[in-house]
Amino acid sequence: MSFEEKPIRLGQSNVFINSPLGIGTWAWGDTMFWKYEAATGEDNCRKAFDTGMKSGINFLDTAEVYGYPGSISERLIGRFIKASNERPVVATKFAMFPWRLTEWQFNSCLRGSLDRLGVDAIDLYQIHWSLPWWVPGRSLDVWTKCLGDAVESGKVKAVGISRYSEAEMRRVHALLKARNIPLASHQFEYSLLHRQPERDGTLQACKELGVTVLAFSPLAMGRLTGKFGVANPPPSRRHFGNVDMRLVEPVVELLRTIGAAHGNKTAAQVALNWCICKGVVPLAGARTASQAAENAGALGWRLTPAEVQQLDDITKDLS
């Protein structure tokens, strides 16, 4: 069924994105997992950026550790913004390394991201991960205070978290609410091959609290695109959505069958649309113009409730 996309508000913040789909830029500059090539990578990423913007995807998610060391992803986005006539909505993240112990370090990292992106204020600033209780480091309350201070300073428009537990998210939400600052987003892994957030209460808690879910690895690091299979498994480092390909192949076949009924949508487009139907904003990686264009094909239509149920049923026991 066709569907007119409308702007999405990030939580209860004043930040809006054009559509319920973002571009994940982990691969922009990364050589460990994604084999970024300096000679051609920047041009390819620029074309992905331009294609996304023209296709109505104006939301980019990055982090200071993407393309580390050097924070190449942020630097690329900064250059693309400078050369563009349009200003995308940019989310980035503070890396919770255990040796980062002070508010000064937080503010130094924030200034670094602002400089690399070339913006006066970051649209969405997130804590990249939560430290386990047994790792030395500052408390959740301290870093939440830093987020609130960043909003009040005007350097950040909205704040979010990534990969927190339900209990930790509720604590952050309560601390920010006491300062009349909304927790705009919570980013975590969510896809047809990783539905744990449905069972551990995190997804439902986000809906309850009015926190927008940003889903990373919505295509399970390529497993849901049809690119990989039993005879051609994904590279070993691609650990998100790591389900036996013998179990994934029937899922991809169903994605293709459903896509055929919607004007020959690809498996990836159907998988992204499933995420959108679940009320989350998938962050789909794109290193080339063709990948960005394919991702954009997940917009402008919706799966039927029966098709969503089919996909729910075939993947219910995979994670």
Side-chain angles (χ1 to χ4, degrees):
M1 67 180 84
S2 61
F3 190 90
E4 181 181 354
E5 303 295 353
K6 297 179 180 179
I8 300 295
R9 185 181 187 184
L10 298 183
Q12 299 303 309
S13 74
N14 293 322
V15 176
F16 289 79
I17 58 178
N18 281 351
S19 65
L21 180 62
I23 297 177
T25 66
W26 177 14
W28 293 14
D30 179 87
T31 57
M32 181 178 295
F33 294 92
W34 300 105
K35 298 181 180 179
Y36 177 84
E37 297 179 359
T40 58
E42 179 166 350
D43 185 56
N44 286 334
C45 292
R46 184 186 301 277
K47 291 175 181 176
F49 173 91
D50 290 340
T51 300
M53 294 293 288
K54 291 176 183 176
S55 302
I57 307 172
N58 74 329
F59 182 41
L60 293 96
D61 179 75
T62 184
E64 60 169 319
V65 297
Y66 292 172
Y68 191 84
S71 303
I72 296 174
S73 179
E74 286 186 335
R75 294 182 190 279
L76 290 175
I77 292 172
R79 291 201 283 271
F80 301 163
I81 290 175
K82 188 175 181 179
S84 175
N85 294 323
E86 298 182 81
R87 167 68 160 85
V89 177
V90 180
T92 192
K93 310 180 195 73
F94 167 76
M96 185 78 83
F97 294 128
W99 56 84
R100 289 181 170 173
L101 302 173
T102 67
E103 295 179 39
W104 180 89
Q105 288 173 305
F106 178 95
N107 290 323
S108 177
C109 292
L110 173 55
R111 286 194 299 271
S113 290
L114 285 165
D115 289 345
R116 288 185 290 271
L117 292 167
V119 296
D120 295 326
I122 290 171
D123 299 303
L124 177 66
Y125 199 54
Q126 307 156 92
I127 303 291
H128 204 154
W129 58 79
S130 174
L131 289 174
W133 65 268
W134 43 266
V135 176
R138 300 303 297 276
S139 72
L140 178 149
D141 291 25
V142 170
W143 298 125
T144 303
K145 176 182 180 300
C146 290
L147 288 176
D149 292 347
V151 173
E152 292 178 350
S153 73
K155 295 176 182 176
V156 168
K157 297 178 184 179
V159 291
I161 54 176
S162 178
R163 303 173 71 177
Y164 276 45
S165 69
E166 178 193 352
E168 289 171 329
M169 177 184 67
R170 289 185 181 277
R171 176 65 178 168
V172 173
H173 180 274
L175 290 169
L176 290 172
K177 185 177 180 180
R179 299 175 64 173
N180 294 314
I181 297 171
L183 176 62
S185 65
H186 187 182
Q187 183 174 156
F188 47 78
E189 182 186 2
Y190 185 62
S191 74
L192 280 163
L193 302 186
H194 186 85
R195 296 173 58 191
Q196 182 63 27
E198 296 177 9
R199 293 187 285 273
D200 64 19
T202 309
L203 189 63
Q204 183 57 40
C206 287
K207 293 178 180 179
E208 173 194 331
L209 298 175
V211 176
T212 297
V213 173
L214 306 180
F216 73 73
S217 292
L219 297 177
M221 301 190 85
R223 291 173 178 83
L224 292 171
T225 66
K227 177 180 179 180
F228 303 114
V230 174
N232 177 36
S236 59
R237 287 183 179 271
R238 298 195 183 186
H239 49 286
F240 293 122
N242 190 12
V243 174
D244 189 325
M245 291 306 299
R246 291 173 295 181
L247 302 176
V248 176
E249 286 187 345
V251 178
V252 172
E253 186 59 34
L254 178 58
L255 290 170
R256 287 172 170 155
T257 298
I258 292 173
H262 290 272
N264 292 320
K265 294 295 182 181
T266 66
Q269 290 166 343
V270 176
L272 292 174
N273 198 277
W274 175 88
C275 288
I276 294 170
C277 289
K278 292 292 183 176
V280 311
V281 177
L283 303 173
R287 290 179 285 170
T288 65
S290 61
Q291 289 176 342
E294 181 177 3
N295 292 344
L299 298 173
W301 61 284
R302 290 295 185 270
L303 296 167
T304 67
E307 289 166 338
V308 172
Q309 189 62 56
Q310 279 183 285
L311 291 167
D312 286 353
D313 291 344
I314 198 173
T315 59
K316 65 181 179 180
D317 298 322
L318 296 186
S319 66

